Amino acid sequence: MQEYQFEKIESFSNENGEQTTRFCLKNLEPSYGITIGNTLRRILLTDLTGTAITSVRINGINNEYGTIPGVREDILELLLNFKLVKFKGLLESPYYTSLNVAGPHLVTAGDIPLMNGLKIVNSKQYIATILEQAELKFEVKIESGKGYRLLTDNMQRQTSDFLSLDTIFTPVKNVSYNIVDVDRFDNKFVENLELEITTYGTLTPSEALMEAAQILQNLFGSLTVCEPKILEPIEVNSAHETRIEELQLSIRAYNCLRTINIRTIEDLKQYSIKELKEIKNFGQKSADEVAQKLKDRFDIRLK
């Protein structure tokens, strides 16, 4: 089986800690490039686990439309700034941490105290400016998750003392790909897949690509084809064992037969048409009805 390996073409990062790497996967069969590129892009943007602030409790504030005396930013601006804080490390359960800052002070993400194993990669991320004689006290809830979690009314109600955020968990900021056709010998064409990944710095692009590839391997490695089960033939009672209800007789004919303990077709076969007619209240019409139903349904003819 042919093995495919991404080659790293170039890498660079910016002052915010974001990292970008361009990869190339060579010599793919035609149409494989777009299949692999599109699949990896979806996995990278939605299925990798990351950590983010999911809600904030600010002392004296119970809604996102207020202001804090002595703080330059209003509550909405503060919440947007908290959303931009990026963490390296994963949590098994929600983690709470708080900070109390007196002015004058410029608050950045690096001021937020954290547990061991959790690190802020953009520690210079701006949060707020506190003026003299003012104080900002807040508590944040930090969680790990996948993709993007949209704030719902129900989530807001469940955390009435916290202001919940739309949360971006994914460690990948952007993914793009390009397909390049290559003319190989014997006029055969192959494709090269060029993939560019930008992360927030909590993972390197190479780590993100390896995680996405592992997710796909686990997914396709667990796929199986289930053959339909062969059902054992159901034993069907013979016509002789079938109850007379299957004939759907008129009420009068049915009741007359039950009166003399005729329960099955086998019981009914023991009678001739003449003997049926002699049953009390049965008569010619009912005898003809029974004979016709037996002939049509089971191809049985009474004498």
Side-chain angles (χ1 to χ4, degrees), residues 63-82:
N63 66 75
E64 63 269 32
Y65 303 110
T67 59
I68 304 173
V71 177
R72 180 176 297 172
E73 287 71 28
D74 59 27
I75 303 303
L76 279 176
E77 289 176 303
L78 285 176
L79 296 181
L80 290 175
N81 290 337
F82 280 119

Side-chain angles (χ1 to χ4, degrees), residues 231-250:
L231 299 178
E232 296 183 2
I234 300 175
E235 183 178 349
V236 180
N237 292 335
S238 67
H240 306 296
E241 297 172 342
T242 303
R243 300 183 66 83
I244 61 173
E245 283 83 351
E246 294 295 323
L247 293 176
Q248 296 182 349
L249 299 171
S250 63

Side-chain angles (χ1 to χ4, degrees), residues 46-269:
T46 62
D47 279 55
L48 301 192
T49 303
T51 302
I53 295 174
T54 57
S55 60
V56 181
R57 178 164 58 187
I58 303 173
N59 191 40
I61 300 298
N62 56 17
N63 66 75
E64 63 269 32
Y65 303 110
T67 59
I68 304 173
V71 177
R72 180 176 297 172
E73 287 71 28
D74 59 27
I75 303 303
L76 279 176
E77 289 176 303
L78 285 176
L79 296 181
L80 290 175
N81 290 337
F82 280 119
K83 286 177 61 174
L84 298 176
V85 179
K86 302 301 178 183
F87 298 88
K88 185 178 183 65
L90 299 177
L91 300 170
E92 294 184 359
S93 58
Y95 169 67
Y96 296 85
T97 184
S98 59
L99 180 66
N100 189 1
V101 184
H105 188 76
L106 190 150
V107 184
T108 65
D111 293 321
I112 302 174
L114 296 176
M115 62 185 290
N116 291 334
L118 199 60
K119 178 183 177 182
I120 295 174
V121 296
N122 57 340
S123 58
K124 295 182 180 180
Q125 170 60 46
Y126 177 78
I127 301 295
T129 296
I130 307 174
L131 306 178
E132 294 183 6
Q133 308 303 320
E135 185 180 49
L136 176 62
K137 183 177 181 180
F138 63 83
E139 182 179 7
V140 296
K141 179 182 179 182
I142 306 172
E143 297 180 85
S144 293
K146 292 183 179 181
Y148 179 79
R149 187 169 73 188
L150 183 66
L151 174 64
T152 64
D153 292 338
N154 187 48
M155 290 171 57
Q156 187 65 67
R157 287 194 297 269
Q158 289 176 351
T159 56
S160 57
D161 54 342
F162 276 80
L163 302 177
S164 297
L165 309 175
D166 294 325
T167 308
I168 302 174
F169 289 112
T170 178
V172 177
K173 180 179 181 180
N174 188 48
V175 180
S176 62
Y177 64 90
N178 183 44
I179 311 300
V180 180
D181 291 329
V182 179
D183 186 6
R184 199 166 59 180
F185 61 89
D186 296 334
N187 293 323
K188 292 183 178 179
F189 284 88
V190 295
E191 294 179 345
N192 288 351
L193 169 63
E194 296 180 353
L195 186 69
E196 183 175 288
I197 302 173
T198 299
T199 69
Y200 292 106
T202 57
L203 284 181
T204 67
S206 295
E207 290 171 335
L209 182 56
M210 290 176 61
E211 282 195 25
Q214 188 62 55
I215 290 173
L216 287 176
Q217 288 181 33
N218 294 340
L219 172 62
F220 288 110
S222 64
L223 288 178
T224 60
V225 177
C226 183
E227 296 290 345
K229 294 182 180 179
I230 300 176
L231 299 178
E232 296 183 2
I234 300 175
E235 183 178 349
V236 180
N237 292 335
S238 67
H240 306 296
E241 297 172 342
T242 303
R243 300 183 66 83
I244 61 173
E245 283 83 351
E246 294 295 323
L247 293 176
Q248 296 182 349
L249 299 171
S250 63
I251 297 297
R252 178 177 179 177
Y254 174 76
N255 288 337
C256 289
L257 295 177
R258 295 280 295 182
T259 300
I260 61 172
N261 204 31
I262 294 178
R263 298 287 189 269
T264 67
I265 302 301
E266 181 64 26
D267 296 336
L268 192 54
K269 281 183 59 182

